[in-house]
Amino acid sequence: MTDKPKLMVVIASTRPGRIGLPVGEWFEAHAREHGGFDLDLADLAAIDLPFMDEPKHPRLREYTHQHTKDWSARVEAADAFAFVHPEYNYGMNAPLKNALDYLNAEWKYKPLGLVSYGGVSAGTRAAQMIKQVVTTLGMFPLFEAVSIPFVAEFVGEGGAIVPNQVMEKAATAMLDELVRVSAAFAQLRAA
Ligand SMILES: Cc1cc2nc3c(=O)[nH]c(=O)nc-3n(C[C@H](O)[C@H](O)[C@H](O)COP(=O)(O)O)c2cc1C
């Protein structure tokens, strides 16, 4: 542990063979090199939340299931988020929406960077949908984003992502802004 803020990098896709895993691993490595944050890589496939099964509204924080308590503690510990997400049928994927719906105050007053990928749209239609949802939870989605079009073209022979300069510059700009904004929001949460 350091005194750096904590960035949770969420891998949103849960499909076997998902491209989201190498994209998330590339982004996490880039964030580690950036050095502005301690990192928590949250892979929604590994976390394996069931469909939202809490009887009470999450704003009450009266959770009945251990999986919710664990997810709550992990999200609460984060100061900022980066969602590495696909676009499914012009929208956000269901496991990400489910993971958001489980909690409420744990997301509040925290900034979010979006790393989207897809075909020609680079996942940006899903990103717009995510912005609408997360502002309801009091998150602050950044303008700075990593938008990867034709993502399959960036998968190298070993399966890892081979980024171009545009992706690397965008990731650095987003991380720089996440550091600045998370510091301001930490003060707001403490007040
Ligand atoms: C159910 C489904 C819906 C999709 N819809 C879109 C879409 O709306 N826009 C797009 O650019 N790509 C779409 N794709 C293609 C995805 O961009 C591509 O399969 C990508 O690898 C999905 O991310 P993942 O492998 O991390 O799950 C879709 C793929 C799936 C499986």
Side-chain angles (χ1 to χ4, degrees):
M1 268 307 283
T2 66
D3 55 2
K4 290 179 190 174
K6 183 179 278 188
L7 175 68
M8 177 186 275
V9 177
V10 176
I11 296 180
S13 176
T14 58
R15 283 191 319 124
R18 63 221 156 114
I19 221 165
L21 182 61
V23 176
E25 288 170 344
W26 160 70
F27 182 78
E28 194 216 16
H30 190 93
R32 200 171 293 285
E33 210 170 293
H34 176 272
F37 289 100
D38 286 329
L39 293 165
D40 177 20
L41 186 65
D43 179 352
L44 294 187
I47 293 169
D48 198 22
L49 288 166
F51 270 134
M52 212 291 217
D53 59 355
E54 286 293 340
K56 295 199 178 165
H57 194 291
R59 70 173 177 266
L60 300 171
R61 289 183 89 150
E62 292 176 25
Y63 303 131
T64 61
H65 297 293
Q66 193 58 44
H67 55 252
T68 316
K69 292 174 189 171
D70 292 345
W71 182 229
S72 168
R74 202 161 162 183
V75 171
E76 179 71 26
D79 299 294
F81 300 90
F83 291 172
V84 178
H85 68 91
E87 175 173 290
Y88 288 172
N89 299 312
Y90 285 28
M92 71 195 291
N93 70 318
L96 178 59
K97 179 68 162 59
N98 188 50
L100 284 162
D101 291 341
Y102 256 99
L103 310 177
N104 189 276
E106 295 89 333
W107 301 110
K108 195 169 174 150
Y109 295 148
K110 296 179 183 177
L112 167 67
L114 294 173
V115 180
S116 68
Y117 55 88
V120 67
S121 74
T124 53
R125 292 169 294 219
Q128 290 306 113
M129 183 186 278
I130 290 168
K131 287 181 183 181
Q132 178 186 325
V133 171
V134 298
T135 53
T136 305
L137 291 165
M139 297 177 93
F140 184 81
L142 300 183
F143 159 75
E144 289 76 10
V146 183
S147 312
I148 310 172
F150 303 112
V151 63
E153 293 178 9
F154 295 97
V155 180
E157 274 188 15
I161 293 294
V162 182
N164 63 15
Q165 255 193 346
V166 174
M167 288 159 63
E168 289 187 323
K169 277 180 75 174
T172 300
M174 193 174 91
L175 288 159
D176 286 348
E177 188 67 0
L178 279 171
V179 168
R180 272 194 291 273
V181 177
S182 67
F185 274 117
Q187 286 189 8
L188 187 61
R189 291 200 303 279

